[in-house]
Amino acid sequence: MQNILLIVDHSFFMHGFCQYLDDTGLYEVSTATSANEATAKIEETPPDIVVLDPRMDDGAGTQVSQYLRLHYPNIPIILLVTQIDPEQSIEAMRMGVKGIALKDSDPDLMVDGIRTILAGGYWFETNITQPALQYSMDRPNRINRSDDLLTKREHQIVDLVCMGLRNRQIADQCSLTEGTVKIHLNSIFRKLNVTSRAELIVNREGMRSKKSSSAS
């Protein structure tokens, strides 16, 4: 049974969310309502995934996010928000957040997201990714010259990343070693000025949509 640490200061949501996850029989859920309580629980038993509200009182959510990035970078984080603007969504992706969910999301959808992230993927609700995609299309885009910047192999790897393939799968598809795929990805991230797969996908899809609109 995988362990989830839920960090929120809204008791009604906390109890409802915990009850729903308990009923699935798949997860053991612990909770925290402050940064000190959260860090103590993480130190005692590092969770498999953290779900937190970044806008808790006294900046507790931000403190815990920074603490995890510094001390437990391999623990995935889902941000739980009432609302988030597109620029904040892209910044969260850039900082390595694996998922963003709205507090009023369908519980089944959120469980699917948790399952996806625990399997090594990313999960961002459509209501969040669509505005972020539009934002990336409307602003001066950092990958406007990506066709000139990337090699043929790098384009192939970007396409496979956008299809949701992990490094091992990409290596098998391209007849490369996993280490070589990582080297290519580091080069792609540097050239396109992105820092995560999620940000790469959002920006890449934005460019494709922009090209389709121009062609039509």
Side-chain angles (χ1 to χ4, degrees):
M1 188 175 291
Q2 293 174 301
N3 181 265
I4 298 173
L5 177 59
L6 175 64
I7 308 169
V8 296
D9 54 7
H10 192 291
S11 59
F12 181 79
F13 177 88
M14 177 186 289
H15 293 307
F17 188 68
C18 289
Q19 183 63 55
Y20 191 87
L21 289 175
D22 285 339
D23 289 345
T24 67
L26 300 173
Y27 308 105
E28 180 179 344
V29 185
S30 55
T31 62
T33 59
S34 69
N36 288 339
E37 184 182 10
T39 53
K41 289 193 173 183
I42 293 168
E43 290 287 349
E44 180 180 357
T45 306
D48 295 299
I49 189 168
V50 168
V51 181
L52 67 84
D53 181 352
R55 296 183 179 178
M56 292 171 61
D57 290 341
D58 302 323
T62 301
Q63 291 177 42
V64 175
S65 295
Q66 293 172 344
Y67 171 81
L68 286 168
R69 285 198 297 272
L70 181 62
H71 298 286
Y72 295 90
N74 293 326
I75 296 179
I77 300 173
I78 296 179
L79 297 186
L80 192 62
V81 299
T82 303
Q83 60 182 11
I84 185 169
D85 66 45
E87 187 171 6
Q88 290 171 327
S89 299
I90 292 173
E91 181 62 24
M93 295 174 190
R94 186 179 298 119
M95 297 300 291
V97 167
K98 294 296 183 71
I100 304 176
L102 298 173
K103 285 185 178 179
D104 60 359
S105 297
D106 182 284
D108 288 334
L109 187 63
M110 196 173 296
V111 170
D112 285 343
I114 290 171
R115 187 181 298 113
T116 297
I117 292 170
L118 287 172
Y122 294 83
W123 181 76
F124 300 92
E125 284 198 45
T126 303
N127 289 341
I128 292 169
T129 56
Q130 284 183 342
L133 175 58
Q134 187 62 50
Y135 176 82
S136 69
M137 291 170 61
D138 291 342
R139 68 176 177 166
N141 201 293
R142 289 176 297 180
I143 63 170
N144 279 337
R145 296 185 300 112
S146 65
D147 288 340
D148 299 327
L149 294 173
L150 302 184
T151 66
K152 183 177 180 180
R153 176 67 82 183
E154 288 170 345
H155 276 297
Q156 182 185 20
I157 289 174
V158 169
D159 288 339
L160 294 173
V161 168
C162 291
M163 291 169 60
L165 273 64
R166 310 305 300 167
N167 288 355
R168 168 52 58 190
Q169 296 169 309
I170 294 172
D172 293 341
Q173 187 89 2
C174 299
S175 299
L176 300 171
T177 66
E178 192 169 357
T180 300
V181 171
K182 290 179 181 178
I183 291 172
H184 280 303
L185 280 173
N186 286 334
S187 174
I188 291 165
F189 282 17
R190 177 179 53 78
K191 289 179 179 180
L192 303 186
N193 195 24
V194 298
T195 57
S196 72
R197 292 171 111 91
E199 188 184 1
L200 173 62
I201 291 168
V202 166
N203 280 282
R204 194 65 174 173
E205 291 303 315
M207 282 304 300
R208 285 174 177 167
S209 298
K210 200 167 186 177
K211 287 180 180 178
S212 297
S213 297
S214 298
S216 58

